[in-house]
């Protein structure tokens, strides 16, 4: 997480991006999209750039179009990482993934109280660790990790929900060698369905930090999005 790669290609944040709206849920602001009367919810846990990233909100809208109620919380309380003003080691002290996990619990509780029957969660970079913790604690029905950071082999040993792990060929945070170890652990857990897929020719962050005018980057991101959607359709029902 301390390397520069987790911070490459920062998005231009926009509080007005997306077809959904910002609401308060579980005590946090969140971008929400999709039918509020759905019985199925998806939590998208952002990378260090937070919930105002337009590509992330666009993805939330795409998931919502499949009939899910999608929630993208502001786990950073209006203080996403800004490369010009801070370094990651300084920023992360105030925004640890352990705090993200604790803050996610009231959100899940509120979704359940609204009549949501099943919840899936996808985590990007920083968010991957939060999603793993939610899975370990039994709070979600399905998990997707996209170029995760901070996730360990021991974490994978403890997960409870079906998990899809989508990684990049070039990734200092979760290199393919580490993801292959995750795959080995999953193969010893027949009670948990899961797979690891490594995308060739892409780098950490590719699923959300692509340039919209770069057709090849968009194609690779779309493939990851489709894999994520397929997983949720299969297990969040």
């Amino acid at each position: 997480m301390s390397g520069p790669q987790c911070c490459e290609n920062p998005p231009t944040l926009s509080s007005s991006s997306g077809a959904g709206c910002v609401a308060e849920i579980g005590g946090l602001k969140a971008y929400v999209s999709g039918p509020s009367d759905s019985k199925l919810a998806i939590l998208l846990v952002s990378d260090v750039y937070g919930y105002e990233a337009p590509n992330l909100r666009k993805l939330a809208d795409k998931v919502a179009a499949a009939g899910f109620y999608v929630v993208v919380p502001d786990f950073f309380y209006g203080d996403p990482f800004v490369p010009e003003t801070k370094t990651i080691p300084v920023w992360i002290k105030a925004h640890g993934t352990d705090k993200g996990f604790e803050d996610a619990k009231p959100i899940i509780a509120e979704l359940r109280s609204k009549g949501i029957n099943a919840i899936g969660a996808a985590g990007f970079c920083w968010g991957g660790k939060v999603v793993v913790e939610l899975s370990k604690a039994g709070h979600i029905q399905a998990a997707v990790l996209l170029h995760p950071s901070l996730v360990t082999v021991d974490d994978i040993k403890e997960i409870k929900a079906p998990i899809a792990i989508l990684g990049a060929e070039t990734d200092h945070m979760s290199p393919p060698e580490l993801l292959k170890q995750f795959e080995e652990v999953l193969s010893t857990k027949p009670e948990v369905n899961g797979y690891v897929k490594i995308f060739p020719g892409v780098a950490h962050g590719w699923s959300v930090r692509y340039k919209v005018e770069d057709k090849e980057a968009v194609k690779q991101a779309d493939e990851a999005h489709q894999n994520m959607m397929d997983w949720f359709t299969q297990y969040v029902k």
Side-chain angles (χ1 to χ4, degrees):
M1 191 83 185
S2 58
Q5 199 188 26
C6 79
C7 314
E8 283 172 4
N9 307 319
T12 303
L13 304 183
S14 168
S15 59
S16 59
S17 60
C21 63
V22 173
E24 187 169 301
I25 180 159
L28 287 186
K29 276 186 175 175
Y31 176 78
V32 295
S33 189
S36 57
D37 59 349
S38 174
K39 298 293 182 205
L40 310 173
I42 302 296
L43 198 62
L44 298 184
V45 187
S46 75
D47 61 15
V48 297
Y49 292 107
Y51 84 133
E52 291 185 350
N55 285 353
L56 183 61
R57 289 190 173 190
K58 196 190 298 179
L59 178 55
D61 294 341
K62 199 190 284 190
V63 177
F68 295 104
Y69 183 59
V70 185
V71 179
V72 190
D74 175 18
F75 285 111
F76 308 138
Y77 296 84
D79 180 37
F81 179 66
V82 180
E84 295 78 27
T85 61
K86 282 186 182 140
T87 62
I88 277 286
V90 169
W91 180 87
I92 201 104
K93 279 183 187 156
H95 302 294
T97 51
D98 50 345
K99 187 165 189 331
F101 169 56
E102 292 303 325
D103 284 344
K105 291 182 198 170
I107 294 170
I108 286 172
E110 186 167 326
L111 289 171
R112 296 276 186 208
S113 75
K114 289 179 189 292
I116 297 283
N117 295 333
I119 299 172
F124 306 82
C125 315
W126 181 95
K129 177 70 167 178
V130 175
V131 168
V132 160
E133 294 299 331
L134 290 171
S135 176
K136 284 159 63 174
H139 290 304
I140 54 177
Q141 280 61 62
V144 180
L145 309 185
L146 302 98
H147 36 87
S149 299
L150 309 168
V151 177
T152 67
V153 169
D154 284 343
D155 286 328
I156 301 299
K157 285 177 182 169
E158 294 179 49
I159 57 160
K160 294 187 170 73
I163 187 164
I165 302 171
L166 309 179
E169 182 181 17
T170 306
D171 192 331
H172 307 314
M173 258 56 67
S174 293
E177 304 81 66
L178 179 62
L179 297 188
K180 287 194 169 69
Q181 289 179 272
F182 292 174
E183 193 171 43
E184 284 164 23
V185 171
L186 288 173
S187 71
T188 68
K189 288 175 70 79
E191 73 283 8
V192 176
N193 284 340
Y195 73 89
V196 171
K197 177 176 174 180
I198 294 166
F199 284 66
V202 299
H204 180 86
W206 94 93
S207 76
V208 281
R209 300 214 290 268
Y210 57 88
K211 298 277 185 278
V212 289
E213 62 276 9
D214 183 338
K215 286 198 174 114
E216 185 53 35
V218 169
K219 184 166 160 260
Q220 294 273 31
D222 280 346
E223 186 180 333
H225 301 163
Q226 192 57 54
N227 293 159
M228 180 186 86
M229 295 274 288
D230 290 345
W231 198 249
F232 288 146
T233 303
Q234 187 174 351
Y235 290 106
V236 184
K237 54 191 181 182

